Amino acid sequence: MLDGPVRVIDGDTLEISGERVRLFGIDAPEHDQRCTDAAGRPWACGTRATEALRDLVQGRAVRCSGEEQDRYGRLVARCTVAGRDLGAEMVRDGMAFAYRRYSLDYVAEEGRAKAARRGIWAGAAENPAAVRAGARPVQAAPKDCAIKGNISSRGRIYHLPDDRSYARTRINTATGERWFCTEAEARAAGWRHAGD
């Protein structure tokens, strides 16, 4: 259980007592993401999602419970304010998507938000995962260094060119992922093979 001073980072991320917390089961628009309203006019849905979460927690005690960390080291948790689930509130208000890749818990709330055309559902919104994938800086392998050092929920793992998941693994050096020239180099740096 985590509680304490809260700072809103974006529409699905908080900082509580210095620890980053990713709200379980939702995916809010990226901070700079824009959506369109019913008339096709662009609006700053990412900024508005951040403001919506800030409005929900402002001056209130937030309690979070979770055990897993995401690949960025954030605690993935369900968080509540006065017994109200923040993830459910954000999806119900049309300020976040139900993150079906990890959970189906908020699909009903999303359906109600769509039917009422609230928030992102008033017009059109690109899925935040697609926005992130399009903006993600992927770097080519340095010459003769084709081993991919990936950070995932399983920790720091490396992939060899013949590994099953090699082709779909993307390396983002901005998040600490990297390339290795040899397996020995990867192991010496504290990474383990994906098959271990």
Side-chain angles (χ1 to χ4, degrees):
M1 189 65 71
L2 185 64
D3 55 13
V6 178
R7 184 170 72 95
V8 173
I9 305 299
D10 59 30
D12 53 32
T13 309
L14 303 168
E15 187 175 88
I16 302 176
S17 298
E19 183 171 356
R20 292 265 170 129
V21 178
R22 174 71 155 82
L23 295 178
F24 169 81
I26 74 167
D27 200 10
E30 293 298 303
H31 190 274
D32 296 327
Q33 186 173 337
R34 299 183 66 75
C35 299
T36 56
D37 65 15
R41 294 180 302 251
W43 62 286
C45 56
T47 300
R48 181 61 195 110
T50 302
E51 292 168 355
L53 185 56
R54 190 173 292 123
D55 291 345
L56 288 170
V57 303
Q58 192 86 35
R60 297 178 178 96
V62 177
R63 297 184 63 124
C64 296
S65 179
E67 296 176 8
E68 291 188 34
Q69 287 193 328
D70 69 9
R71 66 192 217 165
Y72 303 108
R74 299 175 298 189
L75 175 69
V76 178
R78 288 185 188 272
C79 298
T80 60
V81 169
R84 293 173 35 211
D85 183 329
L86 292 176
E89 294 289 326
M90 289 293 289
V91 174
R92 190 177 302 122
D93 291 343
M95 290 291 110
F97 292 79
Y99 207 172
R100 287 172 172 80
R101 179 176 175 186
Y102 298 104
S103 168
L104 299 178
D105 289 12
Y106 303 120
V107 171
E109 284 86 351
E110 182 179 272
R112 287 191 284 276
K114 278 183 183 179
R117 303 186 62 76
R118 284 193 293 270
I120 57 177
W121 305 112
E126 188 174 2
N127 188 297
V131 172
R132 287 190 299 275
R136 187 175 186 187
V138 177
Q139 295 189 345
K143 188 175 178 170
D144 300 320
C145 298
I147 298 172
K148 295 179 177 181
N150 179 246
I151 300 172
S152 73
S153 60
R154 295 176 46 215
R156 294 175 182 271
I157 57 175
Y158 66 86
H159 302 267
L160 300 171
D162 293 331
D163 289 346
R164 187 181 68 185
S165 58
Y166 183 86
R168 70 175 181 265
T169 301
R170 302 285 179 256
I171 300 304
N172 180 359
T173 57
T175 63
E177 295 176 332
R178 57 184 284 197
W179 296 92
F180 295 102
C181 300
T182 66
E183 277 193 85
E185 178 189 7
R187 289 190 186 277
W191 299 60
R192 64 180 174 78
H193 184 248
D196 290 352

